[in-house]
Amino acid sequence: MSEIAYPLLLTTLAGACTLIGGLIFLLLKKVRPPHLSFFMGLSAGAILFVSLVELLPLSIEIVGFGWANACFFGGMTVTALIDFLLPHDYMGEQVGDKRNRRLMSVGMLTTIGIGIHNFPEGMAVFWGTIGDSEVGLMVAFATAIHNIPEGIAVALPIYAATKDRLKALKFTFLAGVAEPIGALVAFALLGPFITDSLMGYVFAVIAGVMVFVSFDELLPCCFENRRGHTAIAGITVGMAVMALSLNFLI
């Protein structure tokens, strides 16, 4: 059991940074349009960068261009179906007007997408640490950095829609806890079956999910307040944060 304690600890700490991101955002006393535009842009930039610069190219390298792109667009299609099937009218009864319904939809989709993203990411941190503790530490550190804007991506729309800090933290926790759960599943069930090829397919699907969330929900929200320069600044900062964090993996 001791041999998995350190890998599991690193995975849990990396996942906890999703919750830290939510807490950082909730320290703001009031959600103002500039905050919404900047942080939505930051989240979209981070998600797009990691999806198109890290996940999809890695998938192409492992399973080839054709299969990687098939899984990528498959991930987008599945996410579109989830978006279509979400109970938007029910959410409206809970959070008020049309704008708040949209923000709640953003939060739920982002929670699902980031949770899906964090699950195999937890596996990667866990197995990387078992294979080489130093490599695992770098992977965990990079993961932790980019989990912070992901936590913001979840907490921001939920809180903006409901003004309920506890609900925002609950959704952020759900997104982050997928990471240590992924590690536990990797250890308990999937260890003998995990292959580079399988992870290649998974990475492409995750990239598709996250790109859809960014294009369909995050980017429209960050530009709708006529604060284009603020939104672009957020997108740029989000991409820069991801570039710096992923640098530890190279």
Side-chain angles (χ1 to χ4, degrees), residues 4-17 118-119 121-127 129 136 140 143 147 176 178-184:
I4 71 165
Y6 181 62
L8 186 59
L9 174 63
L10 286 184
T11 308
T12 302
L13 290 176
C17 284
N118 283 349
F119 189 84
E121 195 173 75
M123 294 181 177
V125 173
F126 184 83
W127 287 114
T129 307
T143 300
N147 277 350
E179 202 142 306
I181 289 175
L184 290 173

Side-chain angles (χ1 to χ4, degrees), residues 65-83:
F65 185 86
W67 279 112
N69 279 280
C71 291
F72 174 78
F73 288 108
M76 295 187 73
T77 301
V78 169
T79 310
L81 290 173
I82 292 172
D83 184 32

Side-chain angles (χ1 to χ4, degrees), residues 145-165:
I145 291 175
H146 75 245
N147 277 350
I148 292 174
E150 288 178 349
I152 293 171
V154 174
L156 186 153
I158 298 295
Y159 179 70
T162 66
K163 303 302 184 290
D164 187 331
R165 294 175 186 272

Side-chain angles (χ1 to χ4, degrees), residues 96-118:
D97 62 24
K98 181 178 179 180
R99 175 181 173 79
N100 286 345
R101 290 199 301 271
R102 186 178 184 188
L103 287 168
M104 192 67 182
S105 176
V106 169
M108 292 183 70
L109 276 173
T110 305
T111 301
I112 292 168
I114 290 175
I116 293 171
H117 169 72
N118 283 349

Side-chain angles (χ1 to χ4, degrees), residues 4-66:
I4 71 165
Y6 181 62
L8 186 59
L9 174 63
L10 286 184
T11 308
T12 302
L13 290 176
C17 284
T18 308
L19 185 60
I20 290 173
L23 287 169
I24 289 172
F25 169 73
L26 291 173
L27 289 175
L28 297 174
K29 294 183 178 179
K30 186 177 181 179
V31 179
R32 300 181 184 276
H35 298 150
L36 196 65
S37 294
F38 180 81
F39 284 115
M40 281 288 191
L42 184 148
S43 302
I47 289 170
L48 286 171
F49 192 92
V50 73
S51 297
L52 298 176
V53 174
E54 179 193 19
L55 295 178
L56 186 57
L58 180 58
S59 177
I60 292 172
E61 181 181 339
I62 295 172
V63 301
F65 185 86

